[in-house]
Amino acid sequence: RLRQAQKNNDTQTGKFSITSLPVHLTVSPAAERLRYILGDDEDTMPTPTLFTEMDTLQQEDDELEWRESARWVKFEEKVEEGGERWSKPHVSTLSLHSLFELRTCLQTGTVLLDLEGYSLPQIIDDVIERQIEEGLIGPELRDKISFVLLRKHRHQTKKPIHRSLADLGKSGSGVSECSIFISPSIPTHTSRSMNDIADTPSTDQLKNKFMKKIPRDAEASNVLVGEVDFLEKPFVAFVRLSQATTLGGLTEVPVPTRFLFVLLEPPGKAKSYNEIGRAIATLMVDDLFSDVAYKARDREDLIAGIDEFLDEVIVLPPGEWDPKIRIEPPKKIPSADQRKSVFSLNELGQMNGTAGGGGPLGEELAYTGRFCGGLFLDIKRKLPWYLSDIYEGFHIQSISVVLFIYLGCITNAITFGGLLGDATDNYQGVMESFLGTALAGTVFCLFSGQPLIILSSMGPILIFEKLLYEFSKNNGIDYMELRLWIGIHSCVQCLFLVATDASYIIKYMTRFTEEGFSSLISFIFISDAIKKMVGTFKYYPINIDFKPDYVTAYKCECLAPDTSKSILGIDLNWTNTLDWTQLSKKECVKYGGSLVGKSCKYVPDLALMSFILFFGTYTMTVTLKKFKFSRYFPTKVRPLISDFSIFMSIMTFVGLDMLIGLETPKLIVPTEFKPTRADRGWFVMPFGKNPWWVYLASSVPALLVTILIFMDQQISAVIVNRKENKLKKGCGYHLDLLWVGFLMVACSFMGLPWYVAATVISIAHIDSLKMESESSAPGEQPQFLGVREQRLTGILVFVLTGVSIFLAPILQFIPMPVLYGVFLYMGVASLSGIQFWDRIKLIMMPAKHQPDFSYLRQVPLRRVHLFTLVQIVCLAVLWILKSTFLAIIFPIMILGLMVIRKMLDMVFSQHDLAWLDDILPEKEKKKKEDEKKNTKKDKKKGKGGDDSEDVSVLVARLFKERHRLLGFK
């Protein structure tokens, strides 16, 4: 094995392979060493974020001082002394030579790990003492080195705007950041204090606003690089303190120091040594190397960390890019977990990352096999979070969310209520829609398993109600009583599904089904918003023939009818008493007069104004929503504008509408609390109006309603609960379905519409409640932390919906086109993040302009387009059926999508489906079983000699023996 290792040795990279071992165990010596450093303690706390500051030795008025030249939290910021400011954060570009020299410095210099340090003079004395003991410097240099290292530190701080001419003159004589002054000879006997650095943080340090960019538990690493003339060879020291200690004025911000790197060198190579300082500073903020620095046991561990860093470094040819250009930080930084997973004992040999699928849905959908087993687990899971679900809603972000979702809900309630009134002859209307939305939504948000879901009515329910009313009317059956029994049967069927853990089948709904369903609902929102705007143009046509120059010729008169004739035998002589010239247009038509004149058909350009309100609301909302990534205004203001973007857009265009004063169509809200139809009450009696057999026969249509509600509710819940949203409080599929069933009975007894999860509004609710990190590093995009999981926003939305009948005087000023713009935004926003929509756009892009999606690297483009085409055809079929009376079989269409997804296993390989979709549960289970079998086989093959010896230990011994034979240290 050792001979084979030597044959495969690569002297330049230090990598070799051992052919007798499994392929997945072939790693570099550095990676093998880091595997033991980072992989031993899986339960240890994560290492703190490091703030790194680099100071260079400068000379000011014949005095030495350490001047801050650069800093790192994630990306590099340089001091631009000419502009007296910090540079923009940028990716550090290091020379390969500086990394090799840094490696040499750590090999030859002093490395002190877990040093007990309480002050900078004590730490420096210990470092110098160690250098003297190791024979690296002579005792006569002790005072000189200590004197230099204890000079004061000048940090880059904001200067006042109003400055004197003398200060302006001084700024012109600044020194370049790369210039490191050669100090004069340090006298042995000096009158100055040996310790010139402050022992405690200064006022400027304590008030530095940059602290907001650094996490609270952060620690500092300080890099000191200087050039002195009393040294013949470099003085190098790397120190890790056992406990982070605040070292006075050493750091720009009052962050305790954990690491200290000192490099003092003879004159002549200032730029080269400055690059070594930048190299160690960049390494210290690297996620992987910082872990190594915290857990290193000796010098060789640190060198292994550098070697692994070198393995992953990418070199840019000098003639093919401009080194003066600073590389902008990427919008999305790849996770360091994939790099670290290579060194984990448990994950060795696995892929660096997973395929693009959403993965398993979790234990919430596990089949228990017990009566109401899933329901009891849901209650047990959600009960401990109940109090936090209330108090975590008290946040300023919740205000904007409530206003946004409230306007979406009342618009939907009014629209659906109006259509329902037309379909059922006002047995259910706008008032019932408002009351039902408020009742069902409030109860669901109070007691459900996933309160982020918003309940609403939907199109298939409307079609079912219409067909049910026509059937009842044609067969002499009381509609409300029949509807009540359908609701009772449907509730019983939902309870049966809950008791038997039937929600388990949701595991078979992969991304293919979810995206088809959510895309259909999103397109319905978009098309309805556009359709309503087109209808406005038909109702208020634009006056194309109007000519302003002939305005004097435009007039309209009301002529009295001919009194000699009568209409249907009615005498019209009484109309002679009217002054026909003073009548309005409506009165003239009402009393039988005729309108004569060119301007009689004139209407204001309300359609154009409505379009401005519609498109303006949508455009302004999209623009302000992205404002958090803008360069304008302070950091705290930008997220605030983004959160309140919808409210600001609505208020802006409501104000514009009021300013212009045109009679655009306004929101109509009921003003009295009473049923829409006068001959019905608020309670439906279950017996007395229909034959007895109707009570039993109603179970058949109830089955269709149950399937419809089950599929819609659970698919919406799966979309809301996807792992991309980082929900931490779990979900409750069974508990949600239980309350939807109970609410169906309650709404049926009160004659109110039925309600189920609204996909688009729920997605909008989730997006509005997303949280991002407040203290992101300079240049780093705010990190998505998850969703503000609480019940308060939903409860307030539906309570406001219920009291809207008392807010009619205020709501009547909101133009309907503004709310249509909100609808359009909700539909478009819900499409973002859907892989299906991204793949549709790929069809129209040339290959060279396509984004670098991960699945495009793994799956041929023709296969991607084929998968997308199948989804487009399914969506088109769903759309066609939705637009006809066949929409009543909507739940069967969703089941059809699951069948089609099952058939795709015969067309696409499991590899392709793993990247384009989710693998079905049986396939996933079989795949894991195969992996376990292969792992066991590999372990058996890897064992030899002593059976108690792990194959990893064997590999480590081989590496050690190889180094010994090759003469490596």
Side-chain angles (χ1 to χ4, degrees):
R1 291 184 181 180
L2 292 174
R3 289 194 187 100
Q4 186 65 38
Q6 292 174 7
K7 288 181 182 180
N8 296 331
N9 179 42
D10 185 340
T11 57
Q12 292 182 352
T13 62
K15 291 184 178 180
F16 72 101
S17 61
I18 303 175
T19 55
S20 59
L21 292 176
V23 176
H24 65 272
L25 290 177
T26 303
V27 291
S28 68
E32 179 63 25
R33 191 179 190 102
L34 295 194
R35 186 167 76 87
Y36 282 96
I37 299 172
L38 304 180
D40 287 343
D41 302 323
E42 296 180 359
D43 298 329
T44 56
M45 295 293 291
T47 55
T49 302
L50 279 178
F51 165 72
T52 303
E53 177 182 323
M54 177 176 166
D55 295 351
T56 54
L57 188 63
Q58 308 282 346
Q59 187 173 5
E60 183 75 20
D61 298 332
D62 295 330
E63 293 184 2
L64 291 175
E65 68 178 12
W66 292 98
R67 185 175 299 175
E68 185 177 15
S69 61
R71 68 185 181 192
W72 290 255
V73 179
K74 187 70 178 178
F75 300 98
E76 181 178 4
E77 294 177 274
K78 292 183 178 180
V79 174
E80 296 176 334
E81 296 191 357
E84 297 180 353
R85 66 171 191 173
W86 285 104
S87 70
K88 287 184 62 177
H90 55 277
V91 178
S92 298
T93 50
L94 306 174
S95 65
L96 201 58
H97 187 262
S98 67
L99 289 170
F100 285 122
E101 287 192 330
L102 172 63
R103 190 180 188 277
T104 303
C105 287
L106 290 180
Q107 282 181 323
T108 58
T110 297
V111 175
L112 294 176
L113 301 179
D114 296 328
L115 176 69
E116 295 290 339
Y118 54 86
S119 68
L120 186 61
Q122 175 255 323
I123 294 171
I124 290 175
D125 286 343
D126 290 347
V127 171
I128 296 175
E129 188 65 32
R130 177 62 67 89
Q131 289 256 347
I132 294 174
E133 291 176 359
E134 295 177 353
L136 299 176
I137 60 171
E140 70 279 0
L141 297 177
R142 179 195 301 270
D143 291 342
K144 293 183 179 181
I145 294 175
S146 182
F147 180 86
V148 170
L149 294 179
L150 292 177
R151 293 308 88 210
K152 67 178 180 181
H153 288 250
R154 177 181 294 183
H155 305 291
Q156 176 68 16
T157 56
K158 289 187 176 180
K159 302 240 179 16
I161 298 176
H162 304 289
R163 304 175 60 204
S164 64
L165 293 175
D167 289 335
L168 292 174
K170 285 183 180 179
S171 67
S173 59
V175 185
S176 167
E177 60 173 308
C178 291
S179 301
I180 303 178
F181 285 88
I182 301 175
S183 67
S185 298
I186 307 298
T188 307
H189 304 286
T190 176
S191 60
R192 297 186 60 206
S193 167
M194 180 67 78
N195 185 5
D196 198 22
I197 187 172
D199 295 329
T200 58
S202 65
T203 305
D204 290 339
Q205 287 175 278
L206 296 174
K207 293 183 178 180
N208 195 334
K209 295 181 179 179
F210 189 71
M211 276 296 295
K212 298 178 181 178
K213 297 289 186 181
I214 303 175
R216 293 181 181 179
D217 61 342
E219 296 176 351
S221 64
N222 292 90
V223 178
L224 305 179
V225 180
E227 188 177 58
V228 291
D229 60 356
F230 56 80
L231 289 177
E232 295 181 357
K233 59 181 181 178
F235 174 92
V236 182
F238 180 89
V239 179
R240 183 182 71 197
L241 302 179
S242 59
Q243 295 293 331
T245 307
T246 302
L247 301 178
L250 181 64
T251 310
E252 173 193 356
V253 287
V255 175
T257 296
R258 174 67 73 128
F259 298 96
L260 186 67
F261 179 82
V262 179
L263 175 60
L264 295 178
E265 71 280 349
K269 293 184 179 180
K271 186 174 181 181
S272 173
Y273 288 121
N274 191 69
E275 289 300 309
I276 295 175
R278 289 184 61 247
I280 185 63
T282 304
L283 277 167
M284 294 306 295
V285 295
D286 178 69
D287 291 327
L288 184 57
F289 186 84
S290 66
D291 282 359
V292 174
Y294 270 98
K295 299 178 181 179
R297 295 161 294 191
D298 51 32
R299 184 196 310 266
E300 296 302 323
D301 288 349
L302 293 173
I303 294 175
I306 296 179
D307 289 342
E308 179 58 30
F309 186 86
L310 283 167
D311 283 345
E312 299 191 41
V313 162
I314 297 174
V315 178
L316 297 175
E320 298 181 13
W321 76 295
D322 187 0
K324 296 179 181 179
I325 298 176
R326 290 170 178 165
I327 302 175
E328 293 282 341
K331 292 184 178 180
K332 186 177 181 181
I333 303 173
S335 173
D337 294 337
Q338 293 184 2
R339 292 172 59 194
K340 294 178 183 178
S341 67
V342 178
F343 312 116
S344 172
L345 288 169
N346 295 329
E347 299 183 21
L348 185 64
Q350 293 183 7
M351 292 176 58
N352 287 340
T354 56
L361 295 172
E363 62 178 6
E364 295 89 351
L365 290 175
Y367 183 72
T368 64
R370 301 190 304 272
F371 178 77
C372 292
L375 177 63
F376 290 140
L377 289 177
D378 285 349
I379 296 173
K380 183 179 178 181
R381 186 183 305 111
K382 297 300 295 184
L383 199 57
W385 299 103
Y386 196 82
L387 288 179
S388 67
D389 283 345
I390 301 299
Y391 64 74
E392 287 184 6
F394 291 94
H395 191 273
I396 190 171
Q397 184 185 25
S398 301
I399 301 175
S400 63
V401 175
V402 168
L403 293 172
F404 169 39
I405 302 300
Y406 164 68
L407 289 172
C409 283
I410 62 169
T411 306
N412 197 40
I414 290 173
T415 304
F416 184 81
L419 296 173
L420 198 57
D422 294 338
T424 63
D425 197 14
N426 286 331
Y427 274 104
Q428 299 176 76
V430 176
M431 176 55 72
E432 286 78 11
S433 182
F434 264 78
L435 183 60
T437 302
L439 173 65
T442 305
V443 172
F444 187 83
C445 288
L446 273 172
F447 304 111
S448 68
Q450 183 49 272
L452 297 177
I453 293 175
I454 300 296
L455 294 191
S456 182
S457 301
M458 59 179 188
I461 291 285
L462 174 64
I463 296 176
F464 180 84
E465 296 274 16
K466 184 178 180 180
L467 295 176
L468 185 65
Y469 177 75
E470 291 177 354
F471 172 81
S472 303
K473 186 178 179 180
N474 295 334
N475 293 276
I477 298 174
D478 185 77
Y479 162 69
M480 298 302 288
E481 188 177 295
L482 173 61
R483 185 178 178 275
L484 168 61
W485 279 97
I486 291 177
I488 293 173
H489 283 292
S490 183
C491 174
V492 172
Q493 292 165 2
C494 286
L495 296 181
F496 175 77
L497 294 175
V498 171
T500 56
D501 289 350
S503 296
Y504 171 75
I505 68 169
I506 301 300
K507 281 195 170 185
Y508 296 92
M509 292 186 185
T510 64
R511 186 185 291 269
F512 178 88
T513 307
E514 296 164 28
E515 290 186 343
F517 178 79
S518 58
S519 297
L520 175 67
I521 305 299
S522 299
F523 287 140
I524 289 174
F525 264 68
I526 295 171
S527 66
D528 284 352
I530 296 174
K531 196 181 298 180
K532 292 180 187 300
M533 279 309 304
V534 172
T536 304
F537 278 85
K538 292 180 180 178
Y539 193 78
Y540 300 109
I542 297 178
N543 303 295
I544 301 175
D545 298 330
F546 181 78
K547 296 180 176 58
D549 194 39
Y550 295 97
V551 68
T552 54
Y554 291 99
K555 63 179 181 178
C556 182
E557 294 180 349
C558 180
L559 300 181
D562 188 357
T563 56
S564 63
K565 299 179 180 179
S566 62
I567 301 175
L568 299 176
I570 300 175
D571 188 9
L572 299 178
N573 289 327
W574 64 274
T575 57
N576 294 330
T577 59
L578 296 176
D579 185 0
W580 292 91
T581 60
Q582 300 299 320
L583 295 181
S584 66
K585 180 179 178 180
K586 289 184 179 179
E587 291 173 337
C588 182
V589 176
K590 178 181 177 181
Y591 296 132
S594 56
L595 297 169
V596 179
K598 291 185 178 181
S599 63
C600 290
K601 295 182 180 181
Y602 172 82
V603 291
D605 285 333
L606 295 181
L608 188 58
M609 183 63 192
S610 297
F611 179 77
I612 293 172
L613 297 176
F614 166 75
F615 191 71
T617 302
Y618 168 76
T619 306
M620 185 175 179
T621 301
V622 171
T623 304
L624 294 182
K625 201 68 180 176
K626 299 177 181 177
F627 204 80
K628 68 173 64 176
F629 306 112
S630 171
R631 301 180 180 181
Y632 302 101
F633 299 112
T635 307
K636 288 187 176 180
V637 177
R638 294 197 299 267
L640 204 61
I641 294 176
S642 177
D643 290 339
F644 284 86
S645 58
I646 297 160
F647 177 72
M648 293 171 65
S649 301
I650 291 173
M651 294 306 297
T652 299
F653 286 95
V654 168
L656 177 64
D657 179 72
M658 295 175 66
L659 181 65
I660 294 179
L662 289 176
E663 294 185 5
T664 50
K666 299 295 193 297
L667 184 64
I668 301 175
V669 184
T671 56
E672 297 182 39
F673 185 71
K674 63 179 183 179
T676 306
R677 190 179 174 100
D679 60 349
R680 60 151 291 191
W682 285 120
F683 188 79
V684 179
M685 298 302 295
F687 302 104
K689 295 184 179 181
N690 289 332
W692 64 269
W693 57 267
V694 174
Y695 309 142
L696 301 177
S698 55
S699 61
V700 177
L703 180 62
L704 193 60
V705 174
T706 301
I707 298 174
L708 170 63
I709 288 179
F710 176 81
M711 301 297 290
D712 198 351
Q713 174 68 37
Q714 302 298 47
I715 291 179
S716 299
V718 167
I719 294 172
V720 167
N721 293 323
R722 285 195 73 88
K723 66 177 183 179
E724 289 88 346
N725 293 326
K726 296 185 178 180
L727 301 182
K728 300 176 181 178
K729 296 184 179 181
C731 47
Y733 294 93
H734 312 280
L735 186 58
D736 290 346
L737 187 60
L738 176 76
W739 281 105
V740 168
F742 284 158
L743 289 170
M744 281 199 67
V745 171
C747 291
S748 299
F749 270 105
M750 296 183 66
L752 305 177
W754 294 321
Y755 292 92
V756 74
T759 307
V760 171
I761 301 180
S762 299
I763 293 174
H765 192 209
I766 285 280
D767 290 339
S768 303
L769 287 169
K770 286 183 176 179
M771 299 182 295
E772 293 178 335
S773 56
E774 296 180 359
S775 59
S776 57
E780 184 180 20
Q781 297 291 341
Q783 299 296 312
F784 173 55
L785 302 178
V787 177
R788 197 175 304 281
E789 299 179 63
Q790 38 73 49
R791 300 177 184 269
L792 197 60
T793 54
I795 294 172
L796 291 177
V797 163
F798 292 113
V799 169
L800 281 175
T801 304
V803 301
S804 292
I805 56 175
F806 305 109
L807 301 176
I810 299 175
L811 297 177
Q812 66 181 359
F813 291 105
I814 302 179
M816 288 303 294
V818 170
L819 297 181
Y820 298 154
V822 174
F823 259 48
L824 179 64
Y825 169 76
M826 292 170 68
V828 174
S830 61
L831 287 176
S832 62
I834 295 181
Q835 189 194 89
F836 173 43
W837 181 241
D838 293 334
R839 284 189 274 104
I840 289 177
K841 292 187 286 185
L842 287 178
I843 297 176
M844 297 175 283
M845 292 184 192
K848 63 179 180 180
H849 296 304
Q850 291 174 353
D852 187 20
F853 294 131
S854 58
Y855 54 83
L856 290 180
R857 299 183 180 185
Q858 305 292 333
V859 184
L861 187 59
R862 64 182 183 278
R863 306 292 290 175
V864 174
H865 288 339
L866 177 60
F867 190 83
T868 307
L869 185 61
V870 173
Q871 282 188 290
I872 292 175
V873 172
C874 293
L875 180 63
V877 173
L878 288 175
W879 184 272
I880 294 171
L881 294 177
K882 185 268 318 177
S883 304
T884 64
F885 69 94
L886 293 175
I888 196 170
I889 62 172
F890 185 75
I892 300 176
M893 305 178 204
I894 305 300
L895 290 173
L897 287 180
M898 297 172 63
V899 174
I900 293 174
R901 168 59 185 87
K902 182 70 176 177
M903 294 170 62
L904 289 179
D905 285 339
M906 298 182 290
V907 181
F908 294 89
S909 67
Q910 291 302 308
H911 172 269
D912 292 352
L913 290 173
W915 286 97
L916 298 174
D917 190 39
D918 300 335
I919 298 178
L920 292 174
E922 310 90 29
K923 304 286 183 180
E924 185 71 24
K925 185 177 181 181
K926 186 176 183 299
K927 184 179 178 182
K928 289 182 178 179
E929 289 176 353
D930 292 342
E931 287 179 356
K932 288 181 180 179
K933 291 179 181 178
N934 293 334
T935 304
K936 290 180 180 179
K937 290 180 180 179
D938 291 338
K939 285 184 178 181
K940 289 180 180 179
K941 291 180 180 178
K943 289 183 179 179
D946 187 2
D947 293 338
S948 63
E949 221 177 21
D950 187 83
V951 68
S952 302
V953 178
L954 177 62
V955 175
R957 289 189 174 187
L958 289 173
F959 287 145
K960 186 176 181 180
E961 185 68 17
R962 167 188 176 271
H963 279 276
R964 188 182 67 79
L965 292 175
L966 296 179
F968 286 17
K969 291 184 180 180

